[in-house]
């Protein structure tokens, strides 16, 4: 029932095209299609050999208006179906909530279950109220970015310490470099948010300015990044907990999977609930880290900022440029999460772009303060990374040797890492939504669940992240090498796209803006290349392989949808019957277009019918099928498949006893199959007259339970499957419900 | 497409009703139904507000005659579909073999695969040639019976030895008793075969004479027996092999399962192939055992028939009546397999009953000779059962200490045990066929596969026996206690039934015949009770529980089919419109029966249509659906489900641009679901006018691969599932094939 395959053009339009709405599943027709539609409509004629049906003369009232005065009792002892609809605008009905509940018992139970877990469904009208204030947006969106200081400095130092304890001193210049990178990319993104006020994700920006493949590459990088954000954040969060409670360390994997499940459930409940749930951990984390910094620097100041020499660590690798670059690339993972804000601009309150930009600035400022502050403090305190305890945990312990403060810091860290994972749950489905709208991802990611969340995207993320977490057994340090490549690919493409953007517009001050974005692109690109090369063997190769594959997959999906759209697009009728003014067009004769193949018949007068009724046996079901077929007043043919000649003769006698009202054709199937010969017979009929549309009327006995289904051959089901591939064969299932 | 639910009456008719034919899937109408059919036919009118369709005026030639001169090229580059049919009698087509091959690529591959494994399909005409000569029937049918001497004596002695080596002497009187039992039951069955020349299975006989529940009890006993025959024979056969080659002992379970698979494959190839394959092992086994007996008795005679004293074995149980009875019941398992002949009477060449009776006599004679001969010889040789080596293996080794003879005996034993398992593969599907025809088993057991074998029954047996074999880890001694109960239940019921049979007929000599059968019933009943009581805790309880459950299941299945038949049975039109002579019946007005609910409309003039077309979006697929609906010239209503009001308005504008040719109803679904509201809307329409038959026309986009299916919402499929439960809603699927 979906029609539109390709929305590629829409992704490129700047403006409301990037707003998330439930209507995205129903894109409008373009002007050309509207014109074709109008011209097709002018040709519409009902076949002339009968009275044209008066569209107003229906045997019942479709508005259900009249009946509502006295609602009919529901057949299944539940809400009367008529009461499930209220009148909307004239000519409109509005479905109430019960109308969404399936009619089967299992379906109703499932529906109750979902409601209990995820809350009652939300109407589409609620989507506007799901916007975020800045003070809510900051914690929800920045958690990804800020939380990465919980593992970013450690990732950098873990690499440096390979060259021995002495190499740790290099962390200071590297930190300075990273701070420059953060500020540059931050400034760069501030410009993007303003330029794309309706959502400035790397995918949209790269698609818009650089083309389809760069756009998809950015999207693939982001998808990988989102999955890794969940896996890494959950791993780091669990690590923060097990640093404080070492006895839990062996439950790392189940704890992590449980966390992912809880996050999924929370997000299936919807955006707003998730936001409110997760506002406080970010603030708690910021406060906790600021407290650590304050107390730490006060202590360091007390001893004249003299660094404590780190314990001697033997070098396992030489201190070369490659090692330093690898440390730099590892530290750069702290920058993952900037994307969250730019992707979520429309989720801000109005004016969206200004609120988003302010939030972004705050986030970047906070990131630089925390990252630089922590790295320098770690240097001053002389800490060395160890596998058992996180550096942050060591720092907190060193800063607060006694009292509940240490535990509070660890709890806040674990919570913000959860929240960071949650950010990915915001971004991933949104990205897939945009991709799906452009035909680059399966259409089902367009659908908003009954809580206004993109349930399919959420589930896809949770499953993928769960698998990644399981494969890497929840070890943060094993996941980090995969991390930087995807996100910096997206950064680089997005900033490059912005350069093209400014160059195209050439507004006032475009050179300055383009320069900032170009610098951002350059630095991001350097980090990307560094990360891909230095960490290739440690795991980055997975991403280097996955991104092109994802791009190819997206292109294949796009090709499929484009083919679908080409097949379904409206075309004006061919030249030979150019439309005159509607009034002068005379009705076409009955067989006006005898040559149109069955699947090209788009006007009632073109359709040539043959109704085929397969009859295995004369009983109430098959007689109903025959009566149904005959009541359509189209040429009708009954087909009987007999296993043996005598059986065929006997059936023909019965047929004559009945009165031979319908032409009967008998097929003897000496191999005792019925579906195969029937399908091939219909194919042969179609081959002999491709312009005749065959309608096969099959009674379908409806049974209650699944065990009863075992007692039936389900011939109707098998026949439909066999006929699906045949062109021009319509299958009509006539339900036969058993009397009790 | 199956119609007939209940054939209960037919099972009771003696005669051709018990012949196995492929036509059993299509039972004829009875007289009452034929009368109803005739009277329904007299009422048949096409609706008067249009020209009645001339049944001869079809747009194409259904006989494919004309087209055959120049066969159209097949669309899929394979055999032209028209060439798949040849002309049969006038008005008949005959499907050739290729017409059975499915049209899809996967289906064709599967079909080729099956053909390679099981041979080309056989036409129904081949069924007559699949009859057996006596010399073929003897080995095929008697293997079950004769092979049981390979484990019967051992089963008896294994129980006796529990009371110490001294108790083994009791085997001689027990053997005499068993010989009497064998002869009595044999005589009894000889009479059954004559009385039921078309198949004298316990199920048929008990059903015919004692009623449904005893019949089903006999059938349940037999089903259990067949399953256990396969499990026990395969276990004993594998044991015969591992007695000779002890290193294979640890592969008992996989060897057994593999054997069951090979038997299944052989039987799926068909009856005759299986017969030829397995003729020689029985004769080899008989010859081998006779050789053992001859040489053994010659040796015993040489030492004056003085029994060798058995090695001292400590008693683990007291020698009580219960133990002796248990030994007797264990020895009686040698009698399983008599059923095979009586069930298979129609598989003999004509005159079936005489050939079957002769074969039966031969079998019983052979059984008594082998059983008595072996037991006495074991006694004379002083052998004692041990778990490692079968008694027969010990006896063969003692008789032929050197040379290849020992290996030959073991090989022949293993082979005949395989063949015995094969007998069950003959009997079980046949029993299910008879049960299915009477509506006591799922209808699919009526269907003959393309090799004229009852594939479904064969597979059911193989799976069940495989599971039993697996659960008991292939240990013969663990399976034996389950064995006797089922088969002697069937014996008892069948013989009792024969007593009733003779009593009812009271032909000449009926008293003598009844007396023989009564004696058989009495002795069988004694064994049954003995076995059930003495072996209850050892495993017989499984059967005691399973038989009633199977009976209840069969009754439930029968109830379901009877309900189906009641729902589908033809009834003459109600009194109000009693049929006059066909000539004077005037056409009824269009709305003659306005009150008939939609699913009770069995005449064309009764059907009141409303065609509903759900339209999600205006494209080629939905316009084709609208054109199709309009071309039927019935009242038509289009329904659009919109997630939001603006979208609904936009759609209505498009609708008007098209020309508003069909009445449109819009439903706003604020919870963004479409299937649920649509289903409930149709239910509401139905509730408001139950006499209107709603035909829902849904376009179905047909995609090629399964991965492409993931890209579609498959709304058509989900809608059909949601609508299935609704009465009076017909679903018409209009296929839309994508252009390449």
């Amino acid at each position: 029932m979906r029609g539109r395959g390709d929305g590629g053009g829409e992704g490129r339009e700047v403006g409301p095209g990037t707003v998330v709405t439930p209507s995205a599943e129903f894109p409008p027709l373009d002007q050309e299609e509207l014109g074709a539609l109008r011209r097709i409509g002018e040709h519409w004629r009902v076949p002339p050999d009968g009275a044209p049906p008066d569209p107003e003369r229906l045997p019942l009232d479709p508005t259900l208006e009249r009946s509502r005065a006295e609602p009919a009792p529901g057949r299944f002892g539940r809400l009367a179906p008529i009461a499930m609809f209220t009148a909307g605008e004239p000519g409109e009905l509005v479905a109430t909530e019960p109308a969404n509940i399936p009619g089967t018992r299992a379906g109703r139970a499932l529906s109750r279950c979902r409601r209990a877990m995820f809350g009652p469904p939300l109407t589409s009208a609620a989507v506007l109220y799901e916007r975020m204030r800045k003070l809510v947006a900051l914690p929800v969106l920045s958690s990804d970015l800020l939380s990465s200081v919980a593992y970013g400095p450690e990732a950098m130092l873990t690499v440096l310490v390979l060259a021995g304890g002495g190499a740790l001193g290099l962390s200071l210049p590297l930190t300075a470099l990273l701070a420059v990178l953060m500020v540059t990319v931050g400034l760069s993104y501030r410009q993007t948010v303003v330029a794309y006020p309706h959502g400035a994700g790397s995918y949209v920006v790269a698609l818009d300015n650089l083309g389809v493949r760069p756009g998809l590459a950015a999207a693939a990088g982001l998808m990988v990044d989102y999955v890794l954000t969940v896996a890494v954040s959950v791993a780091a969060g669990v690590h923060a907990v097990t640093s404080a409670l070492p006895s839990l360390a062996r439950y790392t994997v189940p704890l992590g999977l449980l966390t992912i499940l809880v996050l999924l459930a929370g997000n299936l409940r919807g955006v707003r609930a998730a936001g409110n749930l997760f506002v406080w951990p970010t603030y708690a984390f910021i406060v906790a880290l600021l407290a650590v910094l304050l107390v730490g620097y006060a202590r360091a100041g007390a001893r004249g900022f003299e660094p404590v020499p780190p314990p001697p660590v033997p070098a396992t690798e030489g201190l070369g440029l490659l090692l330093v670059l690898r440390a730099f690339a590892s530290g750069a993972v702290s920058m993952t999460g900037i994307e969250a804000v730019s992707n979520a601009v429309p989720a801000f309150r109005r004016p969206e772009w200004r609120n988003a930009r302010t939030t972004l600035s705050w986030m970047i400022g906070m990131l630089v303060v925390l990252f630089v502050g922590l790295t320098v403090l770690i240097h001053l305190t002389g800490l060395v990374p160890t596998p058992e305890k996180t550096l942050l945990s060591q720092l907190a312990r060193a800063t607060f040797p006694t009292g509940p403060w240490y535990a509070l810091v660890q709890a806040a860290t674990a919570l913000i890492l959860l929240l960071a994972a949650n950010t990915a749950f915001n971004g991933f489905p949104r990205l897939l939504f945009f991709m799906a709208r452009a035909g680059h991802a399966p259409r089902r990611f367009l659908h908003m669940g009954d809580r206004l969340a993109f349930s399919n995207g959420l589930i896809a993320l949770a499953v993928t992240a769960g698998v990644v977490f399981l494969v890497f057994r929840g070890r943060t340090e094993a996941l980090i090498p995969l991390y930087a490549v995807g996100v910096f690919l997206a950064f680089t493409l997005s900033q490059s796209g912005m350069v093209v953007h400014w160059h195209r517009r050439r507004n006032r001050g475009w050179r300055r803006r383009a320069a900032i974005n170009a610098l951002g692109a350059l630095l991001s690109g350097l980090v990307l290349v560094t990360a891909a090369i230095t960490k290739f063997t440690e795991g980055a190769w997975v991403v280097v392989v996955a991104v092109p594959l994802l791009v190819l997959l997206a292109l294949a999906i796009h090709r499929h949808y484009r083919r679908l759209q080409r097949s379904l697009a409206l075309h004006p009728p061919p030249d030979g019957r150019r439309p005159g003014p509607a009034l002068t067009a005379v009705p076409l004769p009955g067989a006006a277009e005898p040559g149109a193949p069955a699947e090209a018949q788009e006007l009632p007068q073109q359709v040539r019918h043959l109704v085929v009724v397969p009859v295995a046996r004369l009983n109430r079901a098959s007689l109903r099928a025959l009566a149904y077929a005959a009541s359509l007043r189209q040429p009708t043919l009954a087909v009987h498949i007999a296993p043996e000649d005598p059986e065929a003769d006997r059936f023909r006698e019965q047929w004559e006893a009945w009165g031979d009202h319908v032409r009967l054709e008998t097929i003897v199937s000496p191999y005792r199959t019925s579906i195969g010969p029937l399908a091939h017979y219909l194919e042969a009929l179609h081959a002999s007259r491709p312009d005749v549309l065959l309608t096969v009327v099959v009674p379908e006995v409806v049974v209650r339970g699944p065990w009863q289904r075992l007692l039936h051959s389900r011939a109707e089901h098998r026949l439909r499957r066999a006929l699906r591939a045949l062109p021009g064969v319509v299958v009509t299932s006539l339900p036969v419900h058993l009397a009790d």
Side-chain angles (χ1 to χ4, degrees), chain A:
Chain A
M1 292 176 44
R2 302 277 159 67
R4 174 73 172 236
D6 185 1
E10 290 161 15
R12 245 160 261 160
E13 88 194 38
V14 180
T18 47
V19 177
V20 173
T21 63
S23 309
E25 284 187 87
F26 305 85
L29 294 177
D30 58 29
Q31 278 310 313
E32 194 184 327
E33 283 191 297
L34 260 182
L37 183 66
R38 202 164 273 130
R39 283 161 75 186
I40 291 169
E42 286 164 10
H43 279 286
W44 182 278
R45 302 283 175 274
V46 287
D49 55 333
D54 179 0
E56 298 299 317
R57 214 196 55 199
L58 297 179
L60 48 76
D61 177 17
T63 66
L64 306 174
E65 206 76 45
R66 248 177 286 155
S67 327
R68 212 160 1 123
E70 35 174 351
R75 184 167 159 272
F76 305 105
R78 54 197 173 87
L79 218 62
I82 290 173
M84 290 182 186
F85 298 90
T86 58
E89 297 179 18
E92 250 183 46
L93 291 174
V94 178
T96 60
E97 202 200 314
N100 299 291
I101 299 168
T104 61
R105 195 172 303 168
R108 282 206 298 281
L110 193 71
S111 170
R112 265 198 300 276
C113 212
R114 280 174 53 168
R115 202 189 160 99
M117 278 182 72
F118 305 125
L122 297 174
T123 66
S124 301
V127 86
L128 275 182
Y129 297 100
E130 295 288 323
R131 300 239 172 155
M132 289 185 283
R133 283 180 301 141
K134 260 180 295 182
L135 282 179
V136 172
L138 183 67
V140 168
L141 297 175
S142 71
S143 57
D144 185 6
L145 188 64
L146 294 186
S147 69
S148 41
V149 300
Y151 48 81
E154 177 154 18
M156 180 171 68
L157 293 174
T158 307
V159 175
L160 281 181
V161 84
L162 292 174
L168 288 175
L170 276 175
S171 66
L172 294 188
L174 284 181
T175 301
L177 213 58
L178 282 170
V180 170
L181 182 65
M182 286 168 189
V183 172
T184 315
V185 172
L187 286 176
S188 198
Y189 259 96
R190 269 176 61 97
Q191 300 195 146
T192 313
V193 166
V194 179
Y196 285 85
H198 295 284
S202 302
Y203 166 64
V204 172
V205 174
L207 192 74
D208 191 19
N209 296 298
L210 302 177
V212 172
R213 271 148 223 265
L216 289 179
L222 281 177
M223 282 162 71
V224 170
D225 178 44
Y226 282 128
V227 169
L228 287 171
T229 296
V230 174
V232 169
S233 301
V234 169
V238 172
H239 201 187
V241 172
T242 56
S243 293
L245 304 166
S247 64
L248 287 179
R250 60 203 169 112
Y251 298 116
T252 297
V253 172
L255 274 178
L257 293 181
L258 186 71
T259 308
I260 292 174
L261 260 186
V262 169
L263 283 170
L264 174 63
N267 277 282
L268 284 177
R269 280 192 77 100
V271 178
R272 189 197 218 166
N276 288 343
L277 202 63
F278 288 128
V279 162
W280 298 112
T282 308
Y283 288 126
F285 179 73
I286 294 174
V287 168
L289 282 205
L290 288 179
V292 167
L293 290 182
L294 213 65
V295 175
Y297 279 105
R299 292 224 180 126
R303 60 172 190 273
F305 292 107
E306 189 62 37
V308 177
V313 182
T316 54
E317 288 186 32
L319 181 63
L321 179 63
L322 209 64
L323 189 86
V324 175
L325 286 178
R326 211 163 95 208
F328 175 71
S330 292
V333 297
S334 300
M335 290 178 60
T336 58
I338 291 190
E339 184 76 18
V341 175
S342 54
N343 230 339
V345 180
F348 281 86
R349 295 219 171 144
R350 291 167 211 275
E352 292 90 350
W353 65 270
R354 188 186 300 276
N355 285 330
R357 199 176 63 170
T358 312
T359 309
L360 186 65
S361 304
W362 270 97
M363 276 166 58
I364 295 290
M366 201 80 77
L367 174 70
V368 171
V369 167
L370 292 180
F371 187 84
V372 174
L374 282 176
T375 320
V376 172
L377 187 57
I378 287 168
H379 179 71
L380 290 177
T381 323
L383 297 178
V384 167
T386 63
E388 296 80 36
K389 286 204 154 196
T390 61
L391 269 179
L392 200 59
S393 165
Q394 294 182 45
L395 190 64
R397 178 61 86 193
T399 313
F400 303 114
T402 58
W405 299 106
Y406 168 71
L408 284 180
V409 172
Q410 288 306 99
T413 308
L415 279 179
I416 198 180
L417 283 163
L418 275 190
L419 190 40
N422 192 60
T423 312
F425 276 95
N426 270 334
F428 187 82
R430 207 174 271 271
L431 172 64
L432 276 176
F433 171 84
F434 290 129
M435 289 179 73
R437 205 176 46 185
H440 289 131
R443 199 77 59 77
R444 55 188 65 202
F445 291 117
L446 285 181
H447 184 72
M448 279 188 162
D450 50 10
R451 291 290 295 181
L452 287 173
F454 294 110
S455 324
N456 294 325
L458 292 173
I459 292 168
L461 176 63
V463 168
T464 323
V467 168
V468 169
F469 188 86
L470 201 64
V471 167
F472 285 86
R473 318 289 310 156
R475 288 174 302 124
T476 318
E477 67 279 12
L479 286 163
I480 290 280
L482 281 73
Y483 205 6
V485 175
V487 64
F488 277 94
L489 175 63
F491 283 174
T492 310
L493 289 169
S494 148
Q495 310 302 325
S496 312
M498 285 310 294
V499 175
V500 173
H501 177 82
W502 300 126
H503 181 72
R504 277 195 192 147
R505 307 241 159 175
R506 296 206 184 83
N507 291 338
R508 202 169 59 84
W510 72 271
R511 279 173 208 279
R512 188 179 46 79
R513 294 202 179 97
I516 292 176
N517 281 125
L519 184 63
L522 188 72
L523 290 181
S524 306
L526 279 178
V527 178
L528 167 66
V529 172
T530 309
I533 291 174
T534 58
K535 301 183 183 176
F536 189 81
T537 53
E538 285 171 75
W541 66 269
V542 176
V543 182
V544 173
V545 170
V547 166
L549 286 183
L550 284 172
V551 171
L552 288 180
L553 181 65
L555 289 174
I557 290 172
H558 192 248
R559 265 198 306 279
H560 176 79
Y561 280 134
R562 211 163 49 196
R563 201 168 69 110
L564 182 71
Q565 195 210 356
R566 266 206 310 275
S567 297
L568 298 185
L570 295 173
H571 298 296
D575 264 7
R577 30 191 181 118
R578 196 175 322 137
L583 285 171
T584 65
V586 288
L588 300 162
E593 282 87 20
E599 293 217 6
Q601 296 165 353
E602 283 155 46
L603 294 169
Q605 67 270 32
Q606 288 178 315
V607 183
R608 303 220 54 191
H609 283 284
L610 175 62
V611 183
V612 180
V613 188
V615 183
R617 189 182 148 76
L618 283 170
N619 58 19
R620 220 170 63 79
S622 53
L623 281 184
R624 270 191 60 210
L626 287 166
Y628 178 87
S631 73
L632 297 176
R633 288 180 287 142
Q634 302 291 346
T636 305
L637 172 69
V639 180
H640 175 68
I641 310 268
E644 288 174 312
D645 251 345
E647 207 281 325
D649 296 341
R650 203 174 62 198
F651 186 83
R652 190 165 281 283
E653 279 164 29
Q654 293 174 7
W655 195 260
E656 272 151 19
W658 171 60
D660 204 7
H661 295 292
V662 173
R663 165 93 179 248
L664 173 70
E665 191 62 35
T666 313
I667 299 175
V668 175
S669 169
Y671 301 96
R672 297 164 303 285
T673 55
S674 51
I675 305 293
L678 191 54
H680 285 292
Y681 179 69
L682 291 166
E683 194 182 348
L685 288 185
H686 176 78
S688 73
R689 275 291 296 273
D691 61 322
V692 172
L693 189 64
L694 303 171
T695 297
V696 183
V697 180
V698 197
E700 179 184 14
V701 172
V702 181
V703 293
R704 290 249 180 80
W707 82 267
Q708 296 187 341
R709 215 168 287 159
L710 289 176
L711 302 180
H712 293 264
S713 64
R714 308 190 67 205
E716 186 267 346
H717 181 81
R718 281 154 57 214
L719 183 61
R720 190 205 318 283
R721 218 165 46 185
L723 296 183
R724 197 181 285 145
L726 299 188
V729 176
V730 175
V731 179
T732 295
S733 314
L734 194 76
V736 178
H737 291 89
L738 297 194
D740 286 314

